[in-house]
Amino acid sequence: MTDPYFSELKYLGGPTLDFIEVVVDGGTNVANITVTIYNPNGSVRSANPLGVKVATIAGKDVYVIDTTNYPTFTGLGKRDAISIDTGGTVHSFVSFNDRPAVTATAGPASGSTSTQIGQAGSGQSLETSDGGASHITQTTPNSGAIPCFVRGTHIETSNGGVKVEDLRAGDFLRI
């Protein structure tokens, strides 16, 4: 099983617009996966079960925590941090570049300092297309959809067009 990861995070705009999108391998039992939201001082604000599966795309199940699917969700703030863990094993502990990194004082990430993944303005989100290794600013947040390319799609690299299945670690992509 590939570790669960944050595929898109929308954190400015208030609780009704904010969301946390998590991707896991299709068919994964998510009963012991928890998303924990941390206050800027490192204390736990909330611990949330994974949420509601909203789609299966390219063999991946997409889960979303938002006010529609999870009524007690109170949104994300630019000073907050978020972790995802399976049975206490933290897979990711992230925060936003709007403010300093957060050092968790409680919860599954206790003692860890968050990795800052970027900054998004109001009406934007942070999204990954590489399994959570990096995030880019998304100008049109799209909860419930993950970026993927089908076999045979040509991706522009510094060496010209390459089929997506032929990409290798270290290839430089043209954006």
Side-chain angles (χ1 to χ4, degrees):
M1 172 182 102
T2 305
D3 292 341
Y5 63 91
F6 296 115
S7 54
E8 189 172 5
L9 298 164
K10 170 84 177 73
Y11 66 95
L12 288 177
T16 60
L17 298 176
D18 294 351
F19 63 86
I20 301 169
E21 184 181 270
V22 175
V23 171
V24 299
D25 288 340
T28 298
N29 178 351
V30 299
N32 64 345
I33 298 177
T34 303
V35 173
T36 304
I37 301 173
Y38 291 85
N39 293 307
N41 68 2
S43 64
V44 172
R45 187 172 92 201
S46 66
N48 310 280
L50 192 52
V52 175
K53 181 170 86 170
V54 296
T56 299
I57 302 169
K60 303 288 186 183
D61 290 341
V62 181
Y63 289 80
V64 174
I65 297 174
D66 62 9
T67 56
T68 301
N69 297 312
Y70 201 79
T72 59
F73 176 65
T74 58
L76 296 173
K78 63 184 176 183
R79 295 178 179 99
D80 294 339
I82 312 152
S83 74
I84 186 166
D85 74 275
T86 305
T89 300
V90 175
H91 302 287
S92 182
F93 180 42
V94 300
S95 60
F96 313 112
N97 291 20
D98 300 69
R99 295 289 189 249
V102 174
T103 299
T105 59
S110 184
S112 300
T113 299
S114 63
T115 300
Q116 293 182 301
I117 60 169
Q119 182 174 348
S122 182
Q124 300 176 332
S125 64
L126 293 171
E127 183 176 54
T128 184
S129 61
D130 58 9
S134 65
H135 289 77
I136 61 167
T137 301
Q138 170 66 266
T139 57
T140 53
N142 53 356
S143 171
I146 57 174
C148 61
F149 299 99
V150 296
R151 188 176 215 31
T153 300
H154 279 80
I155 305 294
E156 192 63 32
T157 71
S158 56
N159 295 322
V162 175
K163 289 182 181 178
V164 69
E165 63 268 23
D166 295 331
L167 289 173
R168 299 292 173 249
D171 287 348
F172 289 97
L173 305 182
R174 293 187 187 259
I175 300 175

